[in-house]
Amino acid sequence: MPQSGDSAVLTSVSDHAFPKAARLTKTDEFSSVFALRPRRRSPHFVLYVCANGLEQGRLGIVVGKKFAPRAAERNLVKRMVRELFRCRQDQFAGRDILLRLQAKFPRADFASRTAIRRVCLTELSGLLDVAARPLPVAAAAAPPDPATPASQPATPA
């Protein structure tokens, strides 16, 4: 039987959830963000940001085997990105954010997951700070809907 204090705990957990609506899931969603110029690069990651016209921000993560051959590394990076996004998701309203791993973590420099975690935290925090900044005016404007005809300029009589 839940007690009165338990509802506050459940409410706070749901506030920091990572629901499906907060994810980029379809190929078209990823493609539309990848089509843009990268917003910022770090030594290991690339950040893409665009306006999505929704009230909620959405996150996409691309971590390929080419740059993180061990599943433990790939999962670690994805968990860290999701957690940082969850903690700050109110700052990303109306944006699609895509983070892509672009470079390996060399075993010589990153012998442990702790070393990878430290570098990832620093780089990802900085990139998400950039993603939280106001979007440029051209990127913030919604793309024109191809289904609606463009307005024709008035022709002189």
Side-chain angles (χ1 to χ4, degrees), residues 1 4 15 34-35 41 46-51 58 60 62 73 77 81 84 107 109 116 123 128 141 144:
M1 183 98 199
S4 61
D15 290 344
F34 269 134
R41 294 178 186 271
V46 179
L47 170 73
Y48 298 86
V49 181
C50 73
R58 297 185 302 177
V62 178
E73 290 175 3
V77 170
V81 172
L84 289 169
R107 291 264 173 105
D109 298 337
I116 294 173
E123 288 185 27
L128 289 177

PDB file of all heavy atoms in Angstrom, residues 1 4 15 34-35 41 46-51 58 60 62 73 77 81 84 107 109 116 123 128 141 144:
ATOM      1  N   MET A   1       0.842  -1.174   0.000  1.00  0.00           N
ATOM      2  CA  MET A   1       0.000   0.000   0.000  1.00  0.00           C
ATOM      3  C   MET A   1       0.889   1.240   0.000  1.00  0.00           C
ATOM      4  O   MET A   1       1.691   1.429   0.905  1.00  0.00           O
ATOM      5  CB  MET A   1      -0.859  -0.038   1.267  1.00  0.00           C
ATOM      6  CG  MET A   1      -1.844   1.083   1.374  1.00  0.00           C
ATOM      7  SD  MET A   1      -3.388   0.417   0.804  1.00  0.00           S
ATOM      8  CE  MET A   1      -4.271   1.843   0.443  1.00  0.00           C
ATOM      9  N   SER A   4       1.579   8.300   1.604  1.00  0.00           N
ATOM     10  CA  SER A   4       1.480   9.633   1.012  1.00  0.00           C
ATOM     11  C   SER A   4       2.831  10.141   0.517  1.00  0.00           C
ATOM     12  O   SER A   4       2.905  10.853  -0.472  1.00  0.00           O
ATOM     13  CB  SER A   4       0.876  10.621   2.004  1.00  0.00           C
ATOM     14  OG  SER A   4       1.718  10.712   3.139  1.00  0.00           O
ATOM     15  N   ASP A  15       9.188  12.847 -13.795  1.00  0.00           N
ATOM     16  CA  ASP A  15       9.650  14.112 -14.343  1.00  0.00           C
ATOM     17  C   ASP A  15      10.997  13.953 -15.057  1.00  0.00           C
ATOM     18  O   ASP A  15      11.312  14.709 -15.957  1.00  0.00           O
ATOM     19  CB  ASP A  15       9.803  15.163 -13.238  1.00  0.00           C
ATOM     20  CG  ASP A  15       8.461  15.614 -12.694  1.00  0.00           C
ATOM     21  OD1 ASP A  15       7.425  15.355 -13.347  1.00  0.00           O
ATOM     22  OD2 ASP A  15       8.451  16.217 -11.603  1.00  0.00           O
ATOM     23  N   PHE A  34      20.774  14.945 -39.650  1.00  0.00           N
ATOM     24  CA  PHE A  34      22.093  14.745 -40.256  1.00  0.00           C
ATOM     25  C   PHE A  34      22.287  15.628 -41.485  1.00  0.00           C
ATOM     26  O   PHE A  34      23.406  15.946 -41.858  1.00  0.00           O
ATOM     27  CB  PHE A  34      22.296  13.290 -40.680  1.00  0.00           C
ATOM     28  CG  PHE A  34      22.931  12.430 -39.625  1.00  0.00           C
ATOM     29  CD1 PHE A  34      22.411  11.184 -39.341  1.00  0.00           C
ATOM     30  CD2 PHE A  34      24.051  12.844 -38.931  1.00  0.00           C
ATOM     31  CE1 PHE A  34      22.987  10.376 -38.382  1.00  0.00           C
ATOM     32  CE2 PHE A  34      24.643  12.047 -37.970  1.00  0.00           C
ATOM     33  CZ  PHE A  34      24.101  10.809 -37.700  1.00  0.00           C
ATOM     34  N   ALA A  35      21.206  16.013 -42.138  1.00  0.00           N
ATOM     35  CA  ALA A  35      21.309  16.840 -43.340  1.00  0.00           C
ATOM     36  C   ALA A  35      21.855  18.232 -43.028  1.00  0.00           C
ATOM     37  O   ALA A  35      22.355  18.912 -43.921  1.00  0.00           O
ATOM     38  CB  ALA A  35      19.940  16.960 -44.012  1.00  0.00           C
ATOM     39  N   ARG A  41      31.788  20.478 -32.784  1.00  0.00           N
ATOM     40  CA  ARG A  41      32.578  19.243 -32.721  1.00  0.00           C
ATOM     41  C   ARG A  41      33.439  19.281 -31.467  1.00  0.00           C
ATOM     42  O   ARG A  41      33.854  20.345 -31.028  1.00  0.00           O
ATOM     43  CB  ARG A  41      33.486  19.110 -33.936  1.00  0.00           C
ATOM     44  CG  ARG A  41      32.755  18.923 -35.226  1.00  0.00           C
ATOM     45  CD  ARG A  41      33.732  18.835 -36.397  1.00  0.00           C
ATOM     46  NE  ARG A  41      33.029  18.806 -37.655  1.00  0.00           N
ATOM     47  CZ  ARG A  41      32.612  17.700 -38.260  1.00  0.00           C
ATOM     48  NH1 ARG A  41      32.863  16.533 -37.706  1.00  0.00           N
ATOM     49  NH2 ARG A  41      31.981  17.758 -39.405  1.00  0.00           N
ATOM     50  N   VAL A  46      30.314  14.700 -32.385  1.00  0.00           N
ATOM     51  CA  VAL A  46      29.766  15.737 -33.252  1.00  0.00           C
ATOM     52  C   VAL A  46      28.343  15.996 -32.778  1.00  0.00           C
ATOM     53  O   VAL A  46      27.591  15.062 -32.506  1.00  0.00           O
ATOM     54  CB  VAL A  46      29.734  15.293 -34.728  1.00  0.00           C
ATOM     55  CG1 VAL A  46      29.128  16.373 -35.596  1.00  0.00           C
ATOM     56  CG2 VAL A  46      31.109  14.947 -35.210  1.00  0.00           C
ATOM     57  N   LEU A  47      27.981  17.271 -32.680  1.00  0.00           N
ATOM     58  CA  LEU A  47      26.649  17.678 -32.234  1.00  0.00           C
ATOM     59  C   LEU A  47      25.884  18.290 -33.399  1.00  0.00           C
ATOM     60  O   LEU A  47      26.397  19.162 -34.096  1.00  0.00           O
ATOM     61  CB  LEU A  47      26.767  18.714 -31.113  1.00  0.00           C
ATOM     62  CG  LEU A  47      25.481  19.414 -30.695  1.00  0.00           C
ATOM     63  CD1 LEU A  47      24.584  18.459 -29.915  1.00  0.00           C
ATOM     64  CD2 LEU A  47      25.792  20.641 -29.870  1.00  0.00           C
ATOM     65  N   TYR A  48      24.659  17.806 -33.613  1.00  0.00           N
ATOM     66  CA  TYR A  48      23.737  18.386 -34.580  1.00  0.00           C
ATOM     67  C   TYR A  48      22.511  18.844 -33.804  1.00  0.00           C
ATOM     68  O   TYR A  48      22.014  18.127 -32.933  1.00  0.00           O
ATOM     69  CB  TYR A  48      23.278  17.344 -35.602  1.00  0.00           C
ATOM     70  CG  TYR A  48      24.378  16.753 -36.444  1.00  0.00           C
ATOM     71  CD1 TYR A  48      25.119  15.665 -35.998  1.00  0.00           C
ATOM     72  CD2 TYR A  48      24.666  17.260 -37.701  1.00  0.00           C
ATOM     73  CE1 TYR A  48      26.117  15.106 -36.770  1.00  0.00           C
ATOM     74  CE2 TYR A  48      25.662  16.710 -38.490  1.00  0.00           C
ATOM     75  CZ  TYR A  48      26.381  15.635 -38.016  1.00  0.00           C
ATOM     76  OH  TYR A  48      27.359  15.089 -38.784  1.00  0.00           O
ATOM     77  N   VAL A  49      22.003  20.034 -34.121  1.00  0.00           N
ATOM     78  CA  VAL A  49      20.816  20.573 -33.445  1.00  0.00           C
ATOM     79  C   VAL A  49      19.934  21.237 -34.483  1.00  0.00           C
ATOM     80  O   VAL A  49      20.433  21.949 -35.360  1.00  0.00           O
ATOM     81  CB  VAL A  49      21.198  21.616 -32.367  1.00  0.00           C
ATOM     82  CG1 VAL A  49      19.965  22.141 -31.665  1.00  0.00           C
ATOM     83  CG2 VAL A  49      22.166  21.045 -31.364  1.00  0.00           C
ATOM     84  N   CYS A  50      18.636  20.996 -34.390  1.00  0.00           N
ATOM     85  CA  CYS A  50      17.690  21.708 -35.246  1.00  0.00           C
ATOM     86  C   CYS A  50      16.364  21.862 -34.510  1.00  0.00           C
ATOM     87  O   CYS A  50      16.080  21.125 -33.563  1.00  0.00           O
ATOM     88  CB  CYS A  50      17.492  21.011 -36.584  1.00  0.00           C
ATOM     89  SG  CYS A  50      16.531  19.509 -36.506  1.00  0.00           S
ATOM     90  N   ALA A  51      15.593  22.840 -34.940  1.00  0.00           N
ATOM     91  CA  ALA A  51      14.266  23.055 -34.365  1.00  0.00           C
ATOM     92  C   ALA A  51      13.350  21.934 -34.835  1.00  0.00           C
ATOM     93  O   ALA A  51      13.438  21.480 -35.977  1.00  0.00           O
ATOM     94  CB  ALA A  51      13.719  24.407 -34.807  1.00  0.00           C
ATOM     95  N   ARG A  58      14.002  16.286 -28.397  1.00  0.00           N
ATOM     96  CA  ARG A  58      14.217  14.872 -28.696  1.00  0.00           C
ATOM     97  C   ARG A  58      15.706  14.633 -28.876  1.00  0.00           C
ATOM     98  O   ARG A  58      16.435  15.501 -29.340  1.00  0.00           O
ATOM     99  CB  ARG A  58      13.465  14.461 -29.959  1.00  0.00           C
ATOM    100  CG  ARG A  58      11.965  14.610 -29.813  1.00  0.00           C
ATOM    101  CD  ARG A  58      11.220  14.082 -31.009  1.00  0.00           C
ATOM    102  NE  ARG A  58      11.628  14.751 -32.231  1.00  0.00           N
ATOM    103  CZ  ARG A  58      11.155  14.426 -33.434  1.00  0.00           C
ATOM    104  NH1 ARG A  58      10.270  13.464 -33.568  1.00  0.00           N
ATOM    105  NH2 ARG A  58      11.565  15.074 -34.510  1.00  0.00           N
ATOM    106  N   GLY A  60      18.834  11.939 -30.208  1.00  0.00           N
ATOM    107  CA  GLY A  60      19.301  10.801 -30.978  1.00  0.00           C
ATOM    108  C   GLY A  60      20.777  10.582 -30.678  1.00  0.00           C
ATOM    109  O   GLY A  60      21.532  11.544 -30.512  1.00  0.00           O
ATOM    110  N   VAL A  62      24.209   8.223 -31.883  1.00  0.00           N
ATOM    111  CA  VAL A  62      24.807   7.298 -32.837  1.00  0.00           C
ATOM    112  C   VAL A  62      26.196   6.946 -32.320  1.00  0.00           C
ATOM    113  O   VAL A  62      27.072   7.802 -32.235  1.00  0.00           O
ATOM    114  CB  VAL A  62      24.907   7.921 -34.245  1.00  0.00           C
ATOM    115  CG1 VAL A  62      25.571   6.958 -35.205  1.00  0.00           C
ATOM    116  CG2 VAL A  62      23.535   8.335 -34.739  1.00  0.00           C
ATOM    117  N   GLU A  73      31.622  -0.149 -23.999  1.00  0.00           N
ATOM    118  CA  GLU A  73      31.936   1.259 -24.286  1.00  0.00           C
ATOM    119  C   GLU A  73      30.759   1.952 -24.952  1.00  0.00           C
ATOM    120  O   GLU A  73      30.412   3.083 -24.608  1.00  0.00           O
ATOM    121  CB  GLU A  73      33.170   1.361 -25.183  1.00  0.00           C
ATOM    122  CG  GLU A  73      34.458   0.990 -24.516  1.00  0.00           C
ATOM    123  CD  GLU A  73      35.631   0.997 -25.485  1.00  0.00           C
ATOM    124  OE1 GLU A  73      35.443   1.351 -26.678  1.00  0.00           O
ATOM    125  OE2 GLU A  73      36.734   0.639 -25.060  1.00  0.00           O
ATOM    126  N   VAL A  77      28.650   5.146 -23.261  1.00  0.00           N
ATOM    127  CA  VAL A  77      28.479   6.450 -23.903  1.00  0.00           C
ATOM    128  C   VAL A  77      26.996   6.785 -24.019  1.00  0.00           C
ATOM    129  O   VAL A  77      26.563   7.892 -23.678  1.00  0.00           O
ATOM    130  CB  VAL A  77      29.172   6.479 -25.287  1.00  0.00           C
ATOM    131  CG1 VAL A  77      28.803   7.723 -26.061  1.00  0.00           C
ATOM    132  CG2 VAL A  77      30.683   6.369 -25.124  1.00  0.00           C
ATOM    133  N   VAL A  81      24.984   9.979 -22.232  1.00  0.00           N
ATOM    134  CA  VAL A  81      24.280  10.995 -23.024  1.00  0.00           C
ATOM    135  C   VAL A  81      22.825  11.082 -22.566  1.00  0.00           C
ATOM    136  O   VAL A  81      22.299  12.177 -22.338  1.00  0.00           O
ATOM    137  CB  VAL A  81      24.348  10.666 -24.531  1.00  0.00           C
ATOM    138  CG1 VAL A  81      23.452  11.600 -25.330  1.00  0.00           C
ATOM    139  CG2 VAL A  81      25.775  10.742 -25.034  1.00  0.00           C
ATOM    140  N   LEU A  84      22.553  12.834 -19.100  1.00  0.00           N
ATOM    141  CA  LEU A  84      22.773  14.277 -19.188  1.00  0.00           C
ATOM    142  C   LEU A  84      21.582  14.963 -19.849  1.00  0.00           C
ATOM    143  O   LEU A  84      21.174  16.052 -19.440  1.00  0.00           O
ATOM    144  CB  LEU A  84      24.058  14.580 -19.960  1.00  0.00           C
ATOM    145  CG  LEU A  84      25.354  14.228 -19.228  1.00  0.00           C
ATOM    146  CD1 LEU A  84      26.542  14.307 -20.175  1.00  0.00           C
ATOM    147  CD2 LEU A  84      25.558  15.141 -18.037  1.00  0.00           C
ATOM    148  N   ARG A 107      43.031   2.625 -26.622  1.00  0.00           N
ATOM    149  CA  ARG A 107      43.275   1.825 -25.413  1.00  0.00           C
ATOM    150  C   ARG A 107      44.479   2.333 -24.627  1.00  0.00           C
ATOM    151  O   ARG A 107      44.513   2.260 -23.410  1.00  0.00           O
ATOM    152  CB  ARG A 107      43.502   0.360 -25.783  1.00  0.00           C
ATOM    153  CG  ARG A 107      42.267  -0.327 -26.293  1.00  0.00           C
ATOM    154  CD  ARG A 107      41.587  -1.079 -25.170  1.00  0.00           C
ATOM    155  NE  ARG A 107      40.317  -1.608 -25.612  1.00  0.00           N
ATOM    156  CZ  ARG A 107      40.112  -2.874 -25.888  1.00  0.00           C
ATOM    157  NH1 ARG A 107      41.089  -3.743 -25.785  1.00  0.00           N
ATOM    158  NH2 ARG A 107      38.926  -3.276 -26.267  1.00  0.00           N
ATOM    159  N   ASP A 109      45.420   5.416 -24.205  1.00  0.00           N
ATOM    160  CA  ASP A 109      45.045   6.607 -23.432  1.00  0.00           C
ATOM    161  C   ASP A 109      43.887   6.346 -22.486  1.00  0.00           C
ATOM    162  O   ASP A 109      43.746   7.021 -21.469  1.00  0.00           O
ATOM    163  CB  ASP A 109      44.644   7.743 -24.384  1.00  0.00           C
ATOM    164  CG  ASP A 109      45.782   8.157 -25.291  1.00  0.00           C
ATOM    165  OD1 ASP A 109      46.954   7.915 -24.926  1.00  0.00           O
ATOM    166  OD2 ASP A 109      45.497   8.706 -26.369  1.00  0.00           O
ATOM    167  N   ILE A 116      37.346   6.807 -19.746  1.00  0.00           N
ATOM    168  CA  ILE A 116      36.400   7.127 -20.816  1.00  0.00           C
ATOM    169  C   ILE A 116      35.248   7.948 -20.253  1.00  0.00           C
ATOM    170  O   ILE A 116      34.825   8.941 -20.840  1.00  0.00           O
ATOM    171  CB  ILE A 116      35.882   5.836 -21.487  1.00  0.00           C
ATOM    172  CG1 ILE A 116      37.025   5.138 -22.216  1.00  0.00           C
ATOM    173  CG2 ILE A 116      34.732   6.149 -22.447  1.00  0.00           C
ATOM    174  CD1 ILE A 116      36.673   3.772 -22.762  1.00  0.00           C
ATOM    175  N   GLU A 123      33.227  16.336 -22.383  1.00  0.00           N
ATOM    176  CA  GLU A 123      32.882  16.700 -23.757  1.00  0.00           C
ATOM    177  C   GLU A 123      31.371  16.818 -23.945  1.00  0.00           C
ATOM    178  O   GLU A 123      30.885  17.772 -24.568  1.00  0.00           O
ATOM    179  CB  GLU A 123      33.444  15.671 -24.735  1.00  0.00           C
ATOM    180  CG  GLU A 123      34.949  15.754 -24.886  1.00  0.00           C
ATOM    181  CD  GLU A 123      35.478  14.805 -25.947  1.00  0.00           C
ATOM    182  OE1 GLU A 123      34.729  14.467 -26.897  1.00  0.00           O
ATOM    183  OE2 GLU A 123      36.646  14.406 -25.830  1.00  0.00           O
ATOM    184  N   LEU A 128      26.271  19.763 -24.833  1.00  0.00           N
ATOM    185  CA  LEU A 128      24.879  20.017 -24.460  1.00  0.00           C
ATOM    186  C   LEU A 128      24.678  21.466 -24.018  1.00  0.00           C
ATOM    187  O   LEU A 128      23.586  22.009 -24.159  1.00  0.00           O
ATOM    188  CB  LEU A 128      24.412  19.027 -23.401  1.00  0.00           C
ATOM    189  CG  LEU A 128      24.231  17.596 -23.927  1.00  0.00           C
ATOM    190  CD1 LEU A 128      23.826  16.654 -22.806  1.00  0.00           C
ATOM    191  CD2 LEU A 128      23.226  17.540 -25.062  1.00  0.00           C
ATOM    192  N   ALA A 141      13.609  28.728 -37.628  1.00  0.00           N
ATOM    193  CA  ALA A 141      12.401  28.792 -38.447  1.00  0.00           C
ATOM    194  C   ALA A 141      12.060  27.400 -38.946  1.00  0.00           C
ATOM    195  O   ALA A 141      12.929  26.634 -39.344  1.00  0.00           O
ATOM    196  CB  ALA A 141      12.618  29.730 -39.622  1.00  0.00           C
ATOM    197  N   PRO A 144       9.694  25.043 -44.741  1.00  0.00           N
ATOM    198  CA  PRO A 144       8.410  25.173 -45.421  1.00  0.00           C
ATOM    199  C   PRO A 144       7.809  23.817 -45.711  1.00  0.00           C
ATOM    200  O   PRO A 144       8.515  22.857 -45.999  1.00  0.00           O
ATOM    201  CB  PRO A 144       8.759  25.927 -46.710  1.00  0.00           C
ATOM    202  CG  PRO A 144      10.220  25.746 -46.897  1.00  0.00           C
ATOM    203  CD  PRO A 144      10.807  25.515 -45.529  1.00  0.00           C
TER     204      PRO A 144
END
